[in-house]
Amino acid sequence: MVGSSLVKILKESGYSNLILPKRRDLDLKNQRKIEEFFSEEKPEYIFHLAAVVGGIHANSNYPAKFIYDNTQMHLNVIECANKFEIKKLLFPGSACTYPKLAKQPIAEESFLSGFLESTNIAYAAAKINGIITAQSYCKQFGLNVVIPMPTNAYGIGDHFDAENSHVIPALIRRFNDAKLKNDNEIVIWGSGNVIREFIYVDDLAYSLLFLMLNYDSSNIINVGTMVEISIKDLALKIAKIVDYKGEIKFDVSKPDGVLRKCLDSSKIKQMGWKDKVDLDQGLEKTYNHYLTLQNVK
Ligand SMILES: NC(=O)c1ccc[n+]([C@@H]2O[C@H](COP(=O)([O-])OP(=O)(O)OC[C@H]3O[C@@H](n4cnc5c(N)ncnc54)[C@H](OP(=O)(O)O)[C@@H]3O)[C@@H](O)[C@H]2O)c1
């Protein structure tokens, strides 16, 4: 999702010398293949956006895959980036690496200051390993790294799997399916009271290019909108956009995750980056994209 949006933005911004390996040609878990790739292609700037990502359900069911694949991929990429002396590497962290009880909105200084939320600990542990690995290569070898900490992203290119995807695409799919089947009830995991922040994918992708060009520090930097919404209100918004008229119930026996999660993104905003797509616009675009995918199938 983020990579496709970034490629679109890079092309629109006039960058033409892009190297875009597909997973079928370059499995990033394979160190030898990555070495061959670096040796042949000689990349200068790297956005390492490949990862195994997903919502609470996927995190609960596949923790070993989340930690193994993600750790293996970033260790391989960072090691080769250093070995082949690339100019700059961008490795995204994630809001979920911050402590469960971090002071809100979460400033960069909260990193590693407390216990993590357990529902996605394997993914978060891999990301923390990646952040510290990138910073260690910077410290020991002078590798130029930039480490944005994005809040929850959504938008075109997202995964719309009903169970394994993030909350926005999962709700879009479930509400749309319920509307088509005339179901009069949808049950959502958790209380609906938790508060989250979301960023439209193009805004996140712009921030990555912005940081690659303007940020020269291995210190993590938050990327978010600082606009918050409860899952209940989000569900109501999506139901309205999809035109689902049935009942929405919340299953409080299922985990909620962290109660409130909003990043303090004042640092990047002071540098001049700003998000442009508000949640209503972003949800409309995402739903239209989902409908397009359905028609294609
Ligand atoms: N989405 C968010 O809310 C969010 C928030 C914070 C940070 N981030 C970070 O932003 C980055 C991009 O996330 P995203 O949402 O764009 O994820 P995404 O849509 O799932 O894209 C991840 C990509 O990684 C590729 N990939 C997975 N395993 C691979 C492997 N072994 N070798 C090569 N490629 C592999 C996938 O290929 P296939 O298509 O073949 O599976 C996919 O194209 C990730 O680092 C993620 O942790 C995302």
Side-chain angles (χ1 to χ4, degrees), residues 1-3 23 26-29 48-53 69 73 92-95 123 127 150-154 157 159 166 204:
M1 173 174 71
V2 184
R23 186 216 282 249
L26 181 63
D27 180 349
L28 292 175
K29 288 187 288 175
H48 174 45
L49 298 179
V52 177
V53 306
D69 285 27
M73 280 193 268
S94 167
Y123 173 76
K127 280 289 182 193
T151 194
N152 307 297
Y154 71 99
H159 305 273
H166 287 125
L204 173 55

Side-chain angles (χ1 to χ4, degrees), residues 225-241:
T225 59
M226 300 191 74
V227 176
E228 297 174 84
I229 185 166
S230 72
I231 295 298
K232 195 174 278 171
D233 287 344
L234 176 71
L236 291 171
K237 247 185 211 301
I238 294 175
K240 195 168 166 210
I241 288 170

Side-chain angles (χ1 to χ4, degrees), residues 99-265:
K100 182 176 183 167
L101 301 176
K103 186 167 165 272
Q104 304 283 332
I106 307 172
E108 287 87 352
E109 290 70 31
S110 292
F111 187 60
L112 295 185
S113 67
F115 291 107
L116 298 175
E117 159 64 31
S118 59
T119 42
N120 52 12
I121 197 160
Y123 173 76
K127 280 289 182 193
I128 290 172
N129 178 290
I131 293 166
I132 295 175
T133 304
Q135 290 174 334
S136 300
Y137 273 71
C138 176
K139 191 172 173 192
Q140 186 174 336
F141 302 113
L143 180 67
N144 203 357
V145 294
V146 50
I147 309 169
M149 298 287 264
T151 194
N152 307 297
Y154 71 99
I156 291 174
D158 216 335
H159 305 273
F160 289 92
D161 185 283
E163 291 198 323
N164 292 324
S165 55
H166 287 125
V167 59
I168 289 182
L171 290 182
I172 286 178
R173 176 173 170 164
R174 293 188 60 206
F175 281 124
N176 196 61
D177 285 353
K179 182 179 85 170
L180 296 179
K181 287 191 229 147
N182 285 321
D183 288 348
N184 51 17
E185 180 184 301
I186 277 191
V187 179
I188 295 174
W189 272 31
S191 66
N193 296 328
V194 300
I195 306 288
R196 290 290 181 268
E197 174 198 18
F198 297 96
I199 186 167
Y200 187 65
V201 62
D202 289 353
D203 284 335
L204 173 55
Y206 268 114
S207 80
L208 303 185
L209 177 57
F210 177 86
L211 290 171
M212 186 64 114
L213 295 173
N214 299 301
Y215 191 62
D216 287 304
S217 164
S218 65
N219 291 333
I220 58 174
I221 181 161
N222 288 342
V223 181
T225 59
M226 300 191 74
V227 176
E228 297 174 84
I229 185 166
S230 72
I231 295 298
K232 195 174 278 171
D233 287 344
L234 176 71
L236 291 171
K237 247 185 211 301
I238 294 175
K240 195 168 166 210
I241 288 170
V242 172
D243 196 27
Y244 164 77
K245 295 203 164 55
E247 201 178 341
I248 303 172
K249 288 189 172 167
F250 291 89
D251 181 354
V252 291
S253 70
K254 294 290 192 297
D256 259 338
V258 180
L259 287 183
R260 181 180 170 209
K261 196 159 67 178
C262 176
L263 298 182
D264 178 352
S265 299

